[in-house]
Amino acid sequence: MPYELQELAAISGMPGLYRLVRAARHGVLVESLDEKATRTLAPARNKVSLLSEISIYTQDPEETVPLTEVFERIYQKHGAASPVTPKSSEGELTEFLAGVIPDYDRDRVYLSDIKKLASWYGIVSKFRPYQEAAAPAAAEAPSEEAGSEEEAPKAKRKSAKATTEPAADEPLSTGGVIAATDEAPEAEGNPEAAASAKKSRKKAE
């Protein structure tokens, strides 16, 4: 998806969003996704939820919509500027989500989750600009030499494999806690949403 969410996370007990930098002995080194880009250590006790692992429940119990796809739908419908904010009315927020996910589960997706979605979309759109998908390269026609009786063997292309890749008080938190290591390599890399349909979440108080 044009919005890259793999290295972005919500962390319990810490407002806003963060970019994961690397794991540390007592937690995770993160960088705030704001103008200051402040680096700080998120304690190991805080739950780290990767945005790329968060999904929104739909009325089909077997289906959820990944946050990356939700962001893509919002962009295609509204552009980089979301029509709602966490302070918008309940009617505006529910209408907003219904506009991008008509069949979202009204029972399992709470108003607090939609507010979180609006907030997260605003932050990501501001600090991680939307990247248009690259157009597929046109296939080059094999060249033929005059007078040549044999065709040069065509090189086989290997298809690139697609890599797939917020805390007790974060109802749409679904990412796993980053394991702490002494010297982990630097990492390059969702409201009412759900991780995978198999994980349960708590309702925000």
Side-chain angles (χ1 to χ4, degrees):
M1 290 292 180
Y3 274 121
E4 295 294 337
L5 305 181
Q6 287 82 355
E7 62 178 4
L8 304 184
I11 303 174
S12 64
M14 300 173 65
L17 294 176
Y18 298 83
R19 181 180 73 83
L20 304 183
V21 178
R22 64 177 175 82
R25 180 183 296 275
H26 300 297
V28 184
L29 182 64
V30 298
E31 181 178 276
S32 60
L33 200 62
D34 55 22
E35 292 86 351
K36 296 181 179 180
T38 304
R39 290 196 175 190
T40 186
L41 183 69
R45 65 176 179 274
N46 292 23
K47 185 174 182 180
V48 176
S49 301
L50 296 172
L51 299 195
S52 60
E53 296 182 357
I54 297 175
S55 299
I56 302 290
Y57 286 122
T58 69
Q59 294 174 15
D60 182 346
E62 300 299 321
E63 181 180 351
T64 60
V65 183
L67 198 62
T68 49
E69 182 177 338
V70 177
F71 276 26
E72 172 71 12
R73 294 186 188 185
I74 295 174
Y75 182 85
Q76 295 303 328
K77 187 175 180 65
H78 303 290
S82 172
V84 295
T85 71
K87 295 182 179 181
S88 297
S89 68
E90 179 176 351
E92 291 173 326
L93 289 165
T94 54
E95 183 180 356
F96 161 70
L97 185 55
V100 293
I101 310 178
D103 62 337
Y104 84 88
D105 193 321
R106 273 69 174 174
D107 295 325
R108 293 191 291 174
V109 178
Y110 305 117
L111 182 62
S112 59
D113 290 332
I114 306 177
K115 289 181 178 181
K116 201 166 298 182
L117 173 61
S119 175
W120 290 356
Y121 184 77
I123 295 173
V124 172
S125 294
K126 183 175 182 179
F127 297 102
R128 286 298 178 90
Y130 183 91
Q131 300 293 323
E132 294 290 348
E140 297 182 0
S143 59
E144 296 182 0
E145 293 183 10
S148 173
E149 296 182 358
E150 296 182 0
E151 293 185 1
K154 297 179 181 179
K156 294 183 179 179
R157 290 184 179 179
K158 294 183 179 179
S159 58
K161 281 188 177 180
T163 56
T164 57
E165 350 199 29
D169 56 349
E170 296 289 349
L172 56 150
S173 166
T174 59
V177 177
I178 302 300
T181 59
D182 293 341
E183 297 181 3
E186 179 169 339
E188 296 291 339
N190 145 337
E192 295 203 354
S196 59
K198 297 181 181 179
K199 293 187 179 179
S200 61
R201 55 167 176 65
K202 300 180 180 178
K203 179 176 179 181
E205 297 182 356

